[in-house]
Amino acid sequence: MNIIIIGNGITGITCARNIRKINSDATITVISEESKHFYSRTALMYMYMGHMKYENTKPYEDWFWSKNRINLIQATVNHLDTVNKSLKLDDSRILNYDKLVLATGSIPNNFGFPGEDLNGVQALYNLQDLEKMEKNTSNISAAVIVGGGLIGIEMAEMLHSRNISVTMLIRENAYWANALPQEEAQLIGNHLHKHGITLKFNTELKEIRTIDQVNVHSIVTKQEETIDCQFLGITTGVKPNIKFLKNSSIEIEKGILVNEFLETNIPDIFAAGDCAQFRYVKTGEAPIEQLWYTGKMQGETLANTICGNKTTYDRGIWFNSAKFFDLEFQTYGKILPEITPEQESFYWEHENGKISFRANYNKSDRSIIGFNFIGIRFRQVIAEQWIREQKEIEYVIDNLKQGWFDPEFSDAYDKKIAKSFSSNPIN
Amino acid sequence: MQDHSLSLAKPTEGLLSQKIGASLIAAALLCAIIAAFGQGETQSVLFFGLIIVFSVAGGIIFSIPYFKAIPGIKNNGIMHSPATNRGGIAWGIAILMTGFYIILYWFPNYLEGLIRTMDPLSSMLRNKPSDQWFLYGTLYTLAVIIMGIRFIGKYRSNRYQVFRTLSVMFFQLGFAFLIPAFLLKLNQPEFYFSYFWPLKYSYLFPNDIDYLIQSGNIGVFMVFWGLVMTFIATPILTYNYGKRWYCSWVCGCGALAETLGDPYRQNSDKSLKAWKVERWMVHSVLVFVVLTTALLWLNSWKNGTILGDASGLFSQCYGFLIGSVFSGVIGTGFYPIMGSRVWCRFGCPMAAILGLFQRFKSKFRITTNGAQCISCGNCSTYCEMGIDVRAYAQKGENIIRASCVGCGICSAVCPRGVLNLENLAEEGRFESYTRQGNK
């Protein structure tokens, strides 16, 4: 069996590794235009800040690939021939496959802002972007970031570490408000402010200005405010990287359409990770998942299917994590920015304004739905078990200590949280 | 609207105090050189004062920015700086430190002037003039305290880091510096209560034991202490807490590695090859010291008739190769190039024994929190023992490795709260996380 995987991100690589674990005979080839070896995209910011070198971001040493007989090709795929089951690369090589995995990831959204082609205007997604950012930000003093999401805040921290002043333009009325409840969004906003980041809420970019026709000089917001900057980071989300499939017989919409087995409409072609879009979605689940964790899980699931053990992709209990400057964030279960009428939410915040806890539960049977933690590390196994077993909120609050995962000698806040819960009028 | 002028923390805020701090430390170094050239003999009090005041003040002033910054560990610029990324400055420091060890061990006469500056302190603490080892002990303790303050500033958001650093500073100052000095003052054997066989190999050699026993009740207690710590306390403590109780909380070598060596922890080699070399080397040293000890006892039991001088030669070899060259010259001198725990990782026989306990019979592990790892690599990068922590974490496996000294930095620098040092039930510590679906 000759398997080709396009994309060497976490999804493609997880898939390749797991195929090799199950099947020792298959020929496995991974093609990437970005880098020869797999590195952790999550560490892009740490390379810029000088925490790590590129070498440190590779989860496997270079000998790993030949030892596991995973062929690596750095090239761009120009054309896919689904009839003859072949690929054409930019170096005009033609590769044949028996099974093909599309794990091409994302590209940054662009909204066609006037002036977005100027030097100093860029997104941050891959290694090439990082190199560009290194050049674009040498010897500058002020930057603007459009978009208040996870990459936006990473970019803010990166620039801040080089002593560049940062202004963030955020469309909503608080940081990451389309994912976080108001309290958490505000807490994080305050923390950013303490670090010297200027946040402009309810603000959108109108145009990008230049004096020399080459470099960005300033931006104008929709409120007609002008902000000087020599760098403009566009972090307004990503979309599936599927351009090269536009004229193929593979069905695409926003992403590559797949069923629950991650199969496309063409036999022996599969898609997983950021580039895949589920045809049928359960309520409350997103058709396109653009997370490290889901990419990894999809890659693992797909390896089973390809090796003959057809497996349904199952997200399990939702979880995610992030870090906002010094604040760690963990979430388990589905916490919506605003609760539904059937739900109740309990929120506790430490007086230092850096630590918070939220538990959402169903009004009717008081069963737990999910958690948000800021500045608290919590055990995933415990959170998942409670959500799966639909434990009552009272049980959860009484047993919080079981899930505590902060380093030894840290203060535990379970008692404070319990006290606050019992004195809360809505309970 | 928020006004930018209200912003509290700017990254450059600390620059001035770092310049002043570095200048003072350079001044202390200059004073030491002048003293070594002879001025230390004639004006010992003056030069002692200058060296101590300049270095302590310099160290503290240098550390101020860490304490003023918003709490949170920042490794900004470490891989860009020639001082920390094996650049020119790092090589310069490595040569300086290695050279100092060579002079100290084999040409102490060059340090005569510097040794004399320590006379006032030495006669106060020990009732006798200073020698090269007292000079070394003083500088060593000073380095642990000054760089310990810096460490606490940098990692102060993490209480485990603060507590264990206070602990190594306490043991270095009290158990490895003041108490041995006071013992001399009281005409008792100079004994280090914080070092045990096989790290302090001679403490179970027949000669040392004979000498201690002959020197009275305190000496007998010292022998008793050494035996209890090596054969009873060490297994029990390691079973319950892992080897960290010693390596990261008590040991003087660990103290220097964690404080003076902290800026270099990322330079340890993480490759599989390095791990193989490490296992061969550290366990060979352990075999070497066990063999040496056994030979000496055999010889002593047979009154030296069987082996003659051979066993003495064996122990001299060990003392030169392992005790001096390895632990000092390479172990510390190479910090800036090979990372802060070169000795602990490749050479320390105590670490080897504790490691075997930790790997096979202990409650200690670094727990991986489910599937939360994002494979970023901060944990592996900042592991001073060269453990590829990420390789375990990204599979949802706990980290149970013989070499882990339990410094806790992997957990501290993890941006997703994935790792935690724990002592839980021994059963099931190797079990990894498996994800369950909804159905």
Side-chain angles (χ1 to χ4, degrees), chain A residues 341-356:
Chain A
E342 297 81 41
Q343 298 178 347
E344 203 81 76
S345 185
F346 166 69
Y347 178 78
W348 170 87
E349 188 176 307
H350 193 278
E351 54 269 21
N352 69 10
K354 291 171 126 187
I355 300 164
S356 76

Side-chain angles (χ1 to χ4, degrees), chain B residues 107-433:
Chain B
F107 309 99
N109 52 314
Y110 291 134
L111 294 173
E112 189 54 28
L114 195 54
I115 292 167
R116 295 281 70 81
T117 61
M118 298 294 152
D119 277 342
L121 183 67
S122 182
S123 45
M124 190 177 86
L125 294 177
R126 321 193 297 167
N127 257 358
K128 61 186 261 189
S130 172
D131 53 26
Q132 85 217 68
W133 304 120
F134 184 76
L135 167 72
Y136 178 49
T138 310
L139 296 179
Y140 195 105
T141 307
L142 213 54
V144 167
I145 288 171
I146 293 170
M147 291 300 278
I149 292 170
R150 172 200 165 275
F151 187 99
I152 290 172
K154 179 173 178 184
Y155 297 96
R156 75 187 200 283
S157 56
N158 185 312
R159 217 175 271 167
Y160 178 75
Q161 298 303 333
V162 174
F163 283 7
R164 78 175 175 88
T165 305
L166 289 172
S167 173
V168 289
M169 287 161 77
F170 166 79
F171 279 106
Q172 176 56 39
L173 181 64
F175 282 58
F177 185 67
L178 293 177
I179 290 175
F182 285 140
L183 285 169
L184 277 181
K185 190 169 192 164
L186 301 172
N187 284 321
Q188 296 295 336
E190 186 181 20
F191 191 84
Y192 296 79
F193 286 96
S194 55
Y195 286 106
F196 324 113
W197 185 91
L199 174 54
K200 190 78 181 169
Y201 44 91
S202 65
Y203 279 5
L204 285 190
F205 284 179
N207 281 350
D208 274 44
I209 289 189
D210 283 349
Y211 165 74
L212 286 175
I213 288 175
Q214 279 162 20
S215 60
N217 284 338
I218 291 186
V220 172
F221 173 73
M222 287 166 180
V223 173
F224 171 76
W225 175 260
L227 289 168
V228 167
M229 287 313 292
T230 299
F231 295 110
I232 299 171
T234 294
I236 293 175
L237 289 168
T238 311
Y239 174 71
N240 284 299
Y241 305 109
K243 75 199 255 189
R244 57 188 175 145
W245 76 268
Y246 188 68
C247 299
S248 294
W249 286 76
V250 174
C251 179
C253 306
L256 195 70
E258 294 292 344
T259 52
L260 184 68
D262 178 65
Y264 310 114
R265 55 172 56 249
Q266 66 284 352
N267 292 332
S268 60
D269 190 338
K270 285 22 174 231
S271 68
L272 191 64
K273 206 173 156 190
W275 184 18
K276 281 183 185 155
V277 173
E278 163 201 316
R279 279 179 293 177
W280 273 103
M281 281 183 81
V282 77
H283 295 119
S284 301
V285 173
L286 178 60
V287 171
F288 193 3
V289 74
V290 171
L291 221 58
T292 306
T293 311
L295 270 174
L296 287 173
W297 278 103
L298 204 62
N299 195 42
S300 142
W301 178 54
K302 295 278 180 191
N303 294 318
T305 48
I306 294 179
L307 295 151
D309 282 342
S311 62
L313 195 70
F314 220 67
S315 83
Q316 273 176 14
C317 271
Y318 185 88
F320 176 77
L321 283 174
I322 310 297
S324 305
V325 177
F326 204 156
S327 74
V329 180
I330 299 173
T332 308
F334 285 19
Y335 273 5
I337 306 303
M338 295 175 67
S340 49
R341 288 264 192 182
V342 181
W343 159 248
C344 313
R345 183 181 178 191
F346 295 99
C348 177
M350 181 81 178
I353 289 192
L354 294 174
L356 292 172
F357 272 113
Q358 174 162 282
R359 174 65 182 72
F360 296 106
K361 193 71 191 165
S362 173
K363 294 157 105 176
F364 174 73
R365 88 289 309 271
I366 302 175
T367 308
T368 290
N369 191 13
Q372 289 276 20
C373 176
I374 55 168
S375 300
C376 69
N378 273 295
C379 52
S380 297
T381 305
Y382 289 94
C383 176
E384 54 190 350
M385 295 303 281
I387 299 171
D388 189 0
V389 183
R390 166 175 55 192
Y392 302 85
Q394 65 191 359
K395 286 191 272 186
E397 290 176 0
N398 295 339
I399 295 98
I400 302 166
R401 276 278 290 269
S403 64
C404 174
V405 290
C407 71
I409 293 293
C410 57
S411 159
V413 298
C414 175
R416 294 295 187 272
V418 174
L419 303 164
N420 198 17
L421 281 63
E422 298 188 300
N423 319 301
L424 301 175
E426 202 191 334
E427 293 74 38
R429 67 184 184 133
F430 285 96
E431 273 167 30
S432 64
Y433 170 81

Side-chain angles (χ1 to χ4, degrees), chain A residues 40 42 49-51 56 58 61 163 196 198 293 296-297 314-315 321 326 332 378-380 384 408, chain B residues 4 12 74 76-77 79 85 244 272 369 371-372 374-375 382 390 394 411 416 422 433 435 438:
Chain A
S40 275
T42 50
M49 298 199 295
H51 296 200
N56 302 116
K58 291 181 189 172
E61 289 184 62
N163 201 24
T198 307
Y293 301 124
K296 196 169 167 178
M297 290 188 271
D314 184 350
R315 294 160 176 80
S321 69
D326 304 312
Y332 298 101
F378 202 80
R379 277 176 217 276
Q380 185 168 8
E384 280 186 341
E408 292 155 296
Chain B
H4 194 69
T12 45
K74 298 276 178 292
N76 293 344
M79 295 300 181
N85 184 27
R244 57 188 175 145
L272 191 64
N369 191 13
Q372 289 276 20
I374 55 168
S375 300
Y382 289 94
R390 166 175 55 192
Q394 65 191 359
S411 159
R416 294 295 187 272
E422 298 188 300
Y433 170 81
R435 204 175 149 69
N438 272 330

